[in-house]
Structures are given as C-alpha cells and as structure tokens.
Amino acid sequence: MCSVSGVRAWVELDFTALKENVKYLQHKLPNHCKLMPAVKANAYGHGAVLITRELNRLGIMDFCVATVSEGIELRKAGIRGQILVLGYTHPEEIPALEAYKLTQSVVDVSYGEVLNACGNRLNVHVLIDSGMHRLGERAEHVDKIASLFEMSHLNITGIYSHLCVSDGNSEREVEYTKEQKNHFQKLIETLQQRGIDVPKTHLLASYGVLNYPEYGGDYARVGIAMYGILSTKHDYEGSKLPLQPVLSIKSRIASIRRLHVGESAGYGMAYVAQQERVIATITIGYADGIPRELSDEKGSVLIGGREAPIVGRVCMDQTLIDITEIEGVRQGDEVVVIGKSGEKEITVYDLAEQTGTITNEILSRLGGRLERRATF
Ligand SMILES: *Cc1c(COP(=O)(O)O)cnc(C)c1O
C-alpha cells in the first residue's frame, strides 16, 4: 500500500516564510495595530485550515473570511478567536453566524436593521463606505450610522472601511486615499462627540499596510502580502520588500512518449511536432487552477532545475510538456509548477503576467483537489 501525501499534485506551504512575513508586516504597523489576516478563498488558495491553524499558533486571534461557509470550515477545524465575515450574508444564514460564533459585517444600515430584527444578539463590525462605493454605509450618513449603536441585538465590536487605491502612488491616488482616511476618521470623531463608545477600528489591507502604515487603527486585514506576494511583479520589483512566497505547487510525470514529425498531441491537435520530440504528461490541469491560457508554450514548468514548455492545450486534469531537451526524466518524477527547482524559479508573478491577471486571481483560483502540506 502506498499512502504518502503529495502523490499527484500538491501545494507546499513554507511556514518559516509565513512567520517571517507576519513578523515583517507586524513590524511595519504601529504597536497597537494587530494583524487580522484575510484567509478567504481558502487562504488565497494556500489552504485555509492549515494557514489559520499556524497563525493561531503564532498568537494571531483575529481573522477575516468572505463567507459564512468559510467561517464554519475554520470553526469546525478548531480555529479560535474572532472570525469576521467581510461579505453580505443572506438572512437564511444568520443562525449559522450565531452557532459558529462568527462576526458579521453590517454592509449598510438597512442590513443592520435586518440583522437586528433576527432575534438574537449578533457580533458585528460596521462597514463604512469612505469612497470605494462597493459595500458599507456612506460615511456622511452619520445619523443612520449612529442609529446602529442603539440596536439592542447588535453587539458592535468593530467599525471599518476599505481603501480602493492604496496600491497607487500617483498624486490623484494618494490624495484619494487620504480623503478616504479623513472621511473615516471624521466619522469616528463625530460618533465619539455624540457619546458613542467607538469599538475597534480598521482600514488597511496589504497595500495599505505597505504604503500607509500610519493609518492603522486596531487591526490590519492583510491578505496577499502575508502570503509573501504582491499583486504584480512590477509592484514587487519596485518595492524591494523582504516578503517570501509561502506557496509552491508540484505535480508529477504521468507518462512519457516520443512524437514523430507531423504527429499532434492533445485536444484539437493544437500541438504538432515539427521534429522528433519527447512529450510528457503531468498530473495537474485547469481544474487544479493552472490557467488554460498557459497553453501553447505560454507557460512552462521545471524538472530537476530545467525548464520544460507547456505544449498543446492544458486539459482539466493533465498538461502536456516538452521534455526533449531534458535527460533522464522518469515516470513519477516531481515537476515544479510554481516554485524553485535548482537554480530556476517559476513565480506566481510569471503565471499572472503570462495570463494577463494579478497574482491574487491565480492564487485564489487554485483548486480544492490540490493537497496541501506544510514544510518548516
Ligand atoms: C480581501 C480583502 C482584504 C485583504 O486584501 P489584500 O489586498 O489581499 O491584503 C482586506 N479587506 C477586505 C474588505 C477585503 O475584501
């Protein structure tokens, strides 16, 4: 019997990198500001339970998720501390908020009324729209916001807002961010002047922590940067930050064959051998989150420190690569899809560039079928 994990395609988590990133981000922030990591979307594909459990072990006790079901998954795995649901929760799911001791965002005042009417006392954070215009009650609606603090079934433990251009450094973007911060701050001051006991405040996500750490209130909702990545290679190269990627992805050689001149491989006969080629099939595909846009030599993988281009069309569960130039490859060998192999490295930035997106999307779309394992 074989019962090793990581037999097909898997994510390796570098917990030393995670710890260093946490330390660095914490150090950037004012002393009173604690990290409240964003572990939504399966912790940006890393594996929410493994990541959050490790963060608990590092002493972190506040987290944010996007949905109730993400919060439930963490509670079922024994995660302790505060778990804030950032998104809208349908009234049908309100009992689950209570049962699993989750904290709900009040996405506007009318939603606050819905939560208040549900009967039981709920832990909530009030979400303020300071200029992103996505979720939150408009900061200028002071009376309406103040009315939330009189609702007997809302236990308001936090109030927060979200910045929409904290990653930009143009004059306009910096000015807009400052305005968002001012709207939020002014609201807090007005509530205080009205005698309201203002709860914990938070405003910053990753780029906020990096570019405006002084705006940190009681928490910073760090996501992408904690995983050791910024959204684009350009941002990362410009920043020179000591962040270390936490995630690598590996798979295996499933089968190797020789193609003769003129033979095709894969769906749509998209790849045709112009000379004798050696083609290998690897055990990972787009259902695992490998973008189909990497087809036709846009992407590549690493085997034993050598680069092998992806050929033909990426399939749901498998991908074809050209290993003609690489000697000694055998069935079952390890293939690096993201990460280091010898002197070479393929980064999430490379995949994001090759597919015209940001790293956040590549990571958050990694499939549930990938196994996740930790290394130290
Ligand atoms: C996703 C999210 C975050 C984390 O964002 P990063 O840029 O990944 O740090 C923080 N706050 C809110 C409201 C979010 O939706």
Side-chain angles (χ1 to χ4, degrees):
M1 272 291 286
C2 271
S3 62
V4 262
S5 69
V7 285
R8 178 186 168 262
W10 66 101
V11 166
E12 271 179 24
L13 301 172
D14 180 347
F15 277 174
T16 305
L18 180 68
K19 186 174 167 184
E20 292 300 315
N21 297 339
V22 161
K23 215 195 294 180
Y24 173 74
L25 292 166
Q26 191 72 73
H27 161 84
K28 284 281 289 183
L29 288 163
N31 279 335
H32 53 82
C33 185
K34 292 197 279 185
L35 297 183
M36 185 189 220
V39 292
K40 56 189 181 181
N42 203 17
Y44 293 48
H46 290 60
V49 169
L50 281 178
I51 289 284
T52 312
R53 202 177 271 155
E54 182 62 12
L55 292 170
N56 253 177
R57 235 176 48 81
L58 296 173
I60 293 176
M61 295 297 283
D62 303 279
F63 303 99
C64 28
V65 294
T67 69
V68 170
S69 59
E70 290 176 345
I72 294 174
E73 184 194 9
L74 296 181
R75 285 291 188 234
K76 284 188 172 161
I79 299 302
R80 292 166 299 124
Q82 174 174 233
I83 301 177
L84 171 65
V85 177
L86 297 168
Y88 167 80
T89 295
H90 189 276
E92 260 175 41
E93 286 191 297
I94 292 174
L97 290 171
E98 232 208 329
Y100 291 93
K101 296 192 166 42
L102 306 175
T103 302
Q104 174 59 41
S105 295
V106 179
V107 301
D108 54 32
V109 169
S110 67
Y111 185 61
E113 284 159 2
V114 171
L115 292 177
N116 188 50
C118 81
N120 293 312
R121 206 164 145 84
L122 295 170
N123 292 328
V124 299
H125 283 203
V126 174
L127 175 44
I128 303 300
D129 176 8
S130 58
M132 183 169 187
H133 308 320
R134 180 176 70 173
L135 289 179
E137 188 61 41
R138 276 181 174 270
E140 61 268 33
H141 295 170
V142 181
D143 290 340
K144 289 175 83 180
I145 293 164
S147 75
L148 291 169
F149 288 84
E150 317 226 301
M151 294 184 187
S152 58
H153 288 143
L154 299 186
N155 180 34
I156 304 179
T157 57
I159 184 164
Y160 74 101
S161 191
H162 193 44
L163 302 172
C164 61
V165 280
S166 60
D167 57 332
N169 56 14
S170 74
E171 203 175 316
R172 182 165 170 270
E173 290 164 319
V174 172
E175 193 53 39
Y176 198 84
T177 302
K178 201 190 280 177
E179 278 170 25
Q180 278 198 273
K181 189 268 283 178
N182 288 341
H183 288 149
F184 184 58
Q185 197 174 357
K186 183 154 164 270
L187 170 73
I188 299 294
E189 284 163 12
T190 311
L191 294 174
Q192 274 164 344
Q193 282 157 10
R194 293 189 175 199
I196 289 168
D197 197 5
V198 171
K200 307 267 195 213
T201 64
H202 46 112
L203 179 64
L204 307 177
S206 293
Y207 278 86
V209 174
L210 301 175
N211 296 329
Y212 305 91
E214 68 280 10
Y215 295 176
D218 296 296
Y219 299 115
R221 303 179 306 269
V222 287
I224 194 78
M226 185 188 72
Y227 304 103
I229 301 284
L230 295 182
S231 292
T232 66
K233 186 180 266 181
H234 176 265
D235 288 349
Y236 175 67
E237 286 175 348
S239 75
K240 301 199 171 65
L241 294 171
L243 294 169
Q244 303 169 42
V246 172
L247 169 142
S248 306
I249 295 183
K250 299 185 177 164
S251 66
R252 294 199 185 273
I253 300 281
S255 183
I256 300 171
R257 72 205 59 228
R258 205 167 266 286
L259 282 196
H260 305 302
V261 177
E263 283 185 317
S264 72
Y267 285 122
M269 304 190 293
Y271 174 75
V272 179
Q274 304 300 322
Q275 308 124 9
E276 288 270 314
R277 304 309 284 173
V278 182
I279 299 297
T281 304
I282 63 172
T283 53
I284 194 166
Y286 61 75
D288 301 295
I290 303 311
R292 195 164 168 278
E293 297 98 303
L294 295 179
S295 298
D296 301 327
E297 300 178 43
K298 284 218 189 61
S300 54
V301 299
L302 303 174
I303 303 166
R306 308 276 312 267
E307 194 166 345
I310 291 173
V311 294
R313 292 188 191 154
V314 174
C315 311
M316 189 181 291
D317 320 307
Q318 281 141 144
T319 299
L320 300 170
I321 60 174
D322 184 340
I323 57 166
T324 312
E325 312 300 332
I326 309 175
E327 309 259 283
V329 178
R330 293 166 46 183
Q331 193 166 48
D333 280 358
E334 195 173 290
V335 177
V336 174
V337 178
I338 294 173
K340 288 183 183 145
S341 175
E343 308 272 277
K344 296 216 173 207
E345 182 175 13
I346 291 175
T347 63
V348 188
Y349 300 114
D350 296 328
L351 269 69
E353 283 200 339
Q354 287 153 358
T355 60
T357 185
I358 55 174
T359 60
N360 313 49
E361 184 179 354
I362 300 283
L363 289 172
S364 64
R365 295 178 80 166
L366 292 174
R369 195 165 65 182
L370 294 169
E371 297 166 67
R372 270 92 179 165
R373 37 148 106 164
T375 61
F376 286 86

